[in-house]
Amino acid sequence: MDYMKSIRQVLEEISGIKNPDIEFSSIDSFGDYSTNIALKNKDIDPNDIALKVNNLNLDYTAEVKGKFVNFWLKNDALVDNLIQIDKDKDSYGKSNIGKNKTVIIDYSSPNIAKPFSIGHLRSTVIGQAIYNLFKSLGYQVIGDNHLGDWGTQFGKLLYMIDFKKTKDFSIENLEELYVEFHKLEKTDETLGERAREWFKKLEDGDSTARTVWKQCVNVSLNEFKRIYDLLDIKVDNTYGESFYEEEMKEMLKDPSINKHIVDGEDGDSKVINLESVGIKTPLMFLKGDGATTYATRDLATLRFRQKKYKPDIIVYEVGAEQKLHFKQVFEAAKMLDLIDKDVELVHTAHGLYLAEDGKKFSTRKGKTIKLEEVLDEAIERAKELGNNKEVAKQVGIGAIKYFDLMHSVQSDVVFDWNKILNMNGNSGPYIQYTVARINSVVSKSDKNNLNLKDLQTKNLEVEEILLLRKLSQFQEVMVTAGKTYSPNILCNYLYELSSKFNTFYNAHKIVGGKNEYFKILLTSGVCVVLKNGLEILGIDTPEKM
């Protein structure tokens, strides 16, 4: 049950305050939920609120601490939730709040001709987690891997391939050519123009440019598949920017769109003026030579998505460096009527992985860390803990994913081998080990032959109550994490649940102890929630560690 929603409705009726703030209590002694309604509204007496709530005989009680009103779920409600977990199992935590709504998640989106670096990790794993969250909430979800396979960057690569007469189209060599171009450009100012000329050839359908470009794309797709398989990432659609070439042509012919296109300051380029919506910087729509820009391609993509999917929400899991770009694109899309007015456009604006000196990694300068190196090292370190090959892969990859997801989406993350591969404390392996420990306990029990009628729920231990209370929050945590595009909220919850279970485990004998059946049911309930939560994060749970 959504107790947060229930409490909010009751408070509205009692106080007359619309949509009062309700949140999980961060301190165990402050109940399950808390509101500062009396703090924000001086005319409200918190004692009066608590008295009225308690007179309603609900599944929770209210008490006052200062100006705050705290709410405690009754034991019967907590036990009912535990029984529901045992009944629902894999489906526990799911809901249908997104029924009949469509959300598109645009994530990962690596650039062709470049290997996966540590910088690609955030968009990939955060995007997949957000995808999984929305799917669990009942939305129709479409994942879209919007590959960077178009633009002046390919002009640079095509120029270098022609200049070097390259026959080696390995991903490593293509990256070296890209880095070399930027070194040469420092002493030859004409190279930028040569790159633009080559991209114009590509857009105009030049056979040589198209053939070489296609080779680069195929090599890159094979490389990406290897990394996605290692990370167990599965995206519904993989459309490069080039996929929208015809959509761009149609858009450029549309008179209702062209009326908003004006000359740029140079007299040759075309821009969209956004001053009417408070954005001073115009959006570059076409370059001076008529070549398309990121904006052209993103607007064509939005046009395509609106026609094909009629989405309610489109989420761009893209780095914070693109804030202005997406602000411009979103406003331009509305101005040009490319999307329905009620479509919610979201840019999550994730932070970056930074080098240990706090500076951004740069492919242009050849200063980056390949993602595969990180994943391989994580697996090797997991092997050193005594795990077999398969478990080491689950633990190592889980450590990497959890480290990323536990951080706020918007925060930058300084790359540190010791922290990113942490196997203790607030980490993926700690939660995985908790699941493995529970599997061991339950395997020694006779749970399948016990009956719910035998369940004894009187005089529960403090640690049991704390676990029950934490379990009751899972469904609401899932909703909050999804609606705020924040997998870190789910990470924090799973860590806290694991910590409370391990405290309970160390304090009580479970199999053969007092009130054994309840303890086993509680232990199994924790396992269900931990496994369901880790699955949302894309993290496997080994049976043994």
Side-chain angles (χ1 to χ4, degrees):
M1 178 177 178
D2 188 342
Y3 288 108
M4 193 174 286
K5 181 179 179 181
S6 172
I7 293 169
R8 184 173 286 112
Q9 290 174 341
V10 169
L11 283 178
E12 281 189 1
E13 293 172 7
I14 290 174
S15 68
I17 303 298
K18 197 173 178 85
N19 199 30
D21 292 334
I22 305 292
E23 59 185 22
F24 292 120
S25 296
S26 57
I27 302 173
D28 289 333
S29 61
F30 286 6
D32 298 291
Y33 304 93
S34 182
T35 180
N36 61 359
I37 187 171
L39 191 64
K40 287 190 171 184
N41 303 273
K42 295 181 180 180
D43 294 335
I44 291 179
D45 181 354
N47 292 293
D48 183 54
I49 292 289
L51 180 62
K52 288 179 178 177
V53 169
N54 292 333
N55 284 337
L56 292 174
N57 193 26
L58 302 167
D59 284 337
Y60 44 86
T61 60
E63 70 168 16
V64 176
K65 278 190 180 289
K67 289 287 186 179
F68 288 83
V69 181
N70 299 325
F71 301 89
W72 296 82
L73 295 180
K74 294 178 180 177
N75 282 7
D76 287 348
L78 295 172
V79 173
D80 285 346
N81 181 67
L82 178 61
I83 294 171
Q84 191 67 44
I85 295 172
D86 187 62
K87 177 183 176 182
D88 293 349
K89 294 187 170 60
D90 292 350
S91 64
Y92 181 75
K94 295 180 179 180
S95 68
N96 62 356
I97 65 171
K99 187 177 180 180
N100 299 324
K101 292 183 179 180
T102 299
V103 58
I104 298 172
I105 314 290
D106 182 323
Y107 65 104
S108 193
S109 307
N111 287 327
I112 296 297
K114 296 178 186 177
F116 265 107
S117 73
I118 189 65
H120 294 104
L121 183 62
R122 299 223 75 191
S123 179
T124 303
V125 299
I126 294 172
Q128 189 70 67
I130 293 174
Y131 176 99
N132 295 342
L133 278 165
F134 272 91
K135 199 143 195 169
S136 75
L137 299 179
Y139 289 83
Q140 178 187 355
V141 189
I142 299 157
D144 195 338
N145 191 358
H146 189 72
L147 297 176
D149 68 348
W150 213 240
T152 304
Q153 62 184 26
F154 288 98
K156 298 174 183 179
L157 194 58
L158 290 170
Y159 168 80
M160 290 300 293
I161 289 171
D162 178 68
F163 176 66
K164 292 276 191 176
K165 308 302 177 189
T166 299
K167 302 297 182 185
D168 178 6
F169 283 82
S170 67
I171 200 77
E172 291 80 13
N173 192 51
L174 293 177
E175 183 186 32
E176 287 175 6
L177 290 175
Y178 185 74
V179 172
E180 187 175 354
F181 176 91
H182 287 281
K183 288 180 179 177
L184 294 173
E185 191 178 29
K186 291 179 180 178
T187 56
D188 186 348
E189 295 180 355
T190 69
L191 289 192
E193 184 58 32
R194 302 288 82 76
R196 287 187 285 275
E197 289 172 358
W198 269 102
F199 176 54
K200 191 67 171 60
K201 285 183 182 182
L202 182 62
E203 282 209 305
D204 291 343
D206 178 86
S207 59
T208 300
R210 289 279 171 134
T211 299
V212 173
W213 168 79
K214 189 63 177 174
Q215 285 181 273
C216 294
V217 170
N218 291 337
V219 166
S220 301
L221 290 176
N222 289 331
E223 172 74 8
F224 297 160
K225 185 179 184 306
R226 278 193 323 104
I227 302 301
Y228 286 136
D229 287 347
L230 191 56
L231 283 169
D232 195 23
I233 298 293
K234 297 177 179 66
V235 192
D236 298 319
N237 301 322
T238 299
Y239 296 144
E241 291 177 289
S242 60
F243 175 82
Y244 304 98
E245 190 174 8
E246 289 304 314
E247 196 76 35
M248 283 186 274
K249 290 177 181 177
E250 289 181 19
M251 188 172 67
L252 292 172
K253 294 176 184 176
D254 189 334
S256 66
I257 291 176
N258 279 307
K259 69 181 182 181
H260 294 283
I261 311 301
V262 298
D263 291 337
E265 289 185 359
D266 59 5
D268 296 318
S269 61
K270 301 296 181 182
V271 302
I272 300 173
N273 192 314
L274 298 170
E275 284 189 320
S276 63
V277 291
I279 302 175
K280 293 182 179 180
T281 306
L283 182 63
M284 178 70 74
F285 189 69
L286 290 175
K287 296 179 182 178
D289 60 2
T292 60
T293 65
Y294 284 120
T296 327
R297 300 188 285 275
D298 279 342
L299 289 170
T301 302
L302 273 169
R303 187 173 188 260
F304 172 84
R305 288 170 174 170
Q306 174 63 49
K307 289 190 298 182
K308 184 172 179 62
Y309 303 115
K310 294 181 172 50
D312 297 278
I313 307 170
I314 305 178
V315 181
Y316 289 81
E317 213 313 295
V318 183
E321 290 181 316
Q322 298 296 320
K323 274 185 179 179
L324 175 59
H325 171 74
F326 280 109
K327 187 176 180 181
Q328 291 174 311
V329 167
F330 292 170
E331 291 296 340
K334 295 172 185 175
M335 180 184 292
L336 302 178
D337 290 325
L338 300 180
I339 57 165
D340 290 346
K341 297 297 183 184
D342 57 352
V343 175
E344 184 180 358
L345 299 174
V346 179
H347 175 211
T348 56
H350 70 252
L352 303 174
Y353 271 105
L354 304 176
E356 289 188 22
D357 60 6
K359 296 180 179 178
K360 179 188 172 186
F361 289 115
S362 173
T363 304
R364 291 185 179 188
K365 298 178 181 178
K367 180 185 176 185
T368 188
I369 295 178
K370 290 181 172 58
L371 180 56
E372 189 171 16
E373 292 176 1
V374 178
L375 300 178
D376 288 344
E377 178 68 14
I379 294 170
E380 286 304 312
R381 294 197 181 197
K383 283 181 184 177
E384 293 172 5
L385 297 176
N387 296 304
N388 62 38
K389 183 177 180 181
E390 182 57 31
V391 173
K393 180 182 175 182
Q394 292 176 317
V395 173
I397 299 298
I400 297 295
K401 287 185 176 181
Y402 186 88
F403 176 79
D404 190 301
L405 294 170
M406 68 182 282
H407 291 86
S408 167
V409 170
Q410 287 76 27
S411 66
D412 290 334
V413 181
V414 175
F415 183 86
D416 184 312
W417 279 105
N418 293 321
K419 290 181 179 179
I420 203 169
L421 297 172
N422 177 32
M423 298 289 177
N424 300 298
N426 187 3
S427 66
Y430 174 77
I431 300 170
Q432 289 173 313
Y433 180 72
T434 302
V435 174
R437 169 178 274 181
I438 290 174
N439 289 335
S440 176
V441 171
V442 174
S443 69
K444 298 172 185 175
S445 71
D446 196 21
K447 177 179 180 289
N448 292 332
N449 293 324
L450 294 172
N451 194 303
L452 283 177
K453 294 179 181 177
D454 301 325
L455 192 63
Q456 300 296 319
T457 60
K458 304 296 182 184
N459 302 316
L460 296 178
E461 306 285 354
V462 172
E463 293 83 6
E464 294 170 338
I465 293 291
L466 290 176
L467 267 181
L468 286 170
R469 288 172 56 195
K470 201 68 190 173
L471 287 172
S472 73
Q473 298 175 358
F474 182 59
Q475 291 173 302
E476 290 163 335
V477 165
M478 293 274 280
V479 172
T480 302
K483 285 186 173 181
T484 59
Y485 314 100
S486 304
N488 61 296
I489 291 175
L490 178 56
C491 289
N492 293 339
Y493 170 83
L494 296 177
Y495 171 62
E496 290 171 4
L497 179 61
S498 297
S499 298
K500 281 180 166 54
F501 173 78
N502 286 310
T503 298
F504 159 74
Y505 175 86
N506 292 324
H508 300 284
K509 184 177 182 181
I510 299 174
V511 178
K514 176 185 173 184
N515 201 4
E516 177 183 5
Y517 180 36
F518 176 79
K519 285 182 169 61
I520 292 171
L521 188 67
L522 180 59
T523 298
S524 298
V526 172
C527 190
V528 167
V529 170
L530 289 178
K531 289 176 74 173
N532 290 357
L534 287 174
E535 184 179 7
I536 294 295
L537 300 177
I539 297 174
D540 291 326
T541 47
E543 286 295 310
K544 296 180 180 180
M545 282 176 67

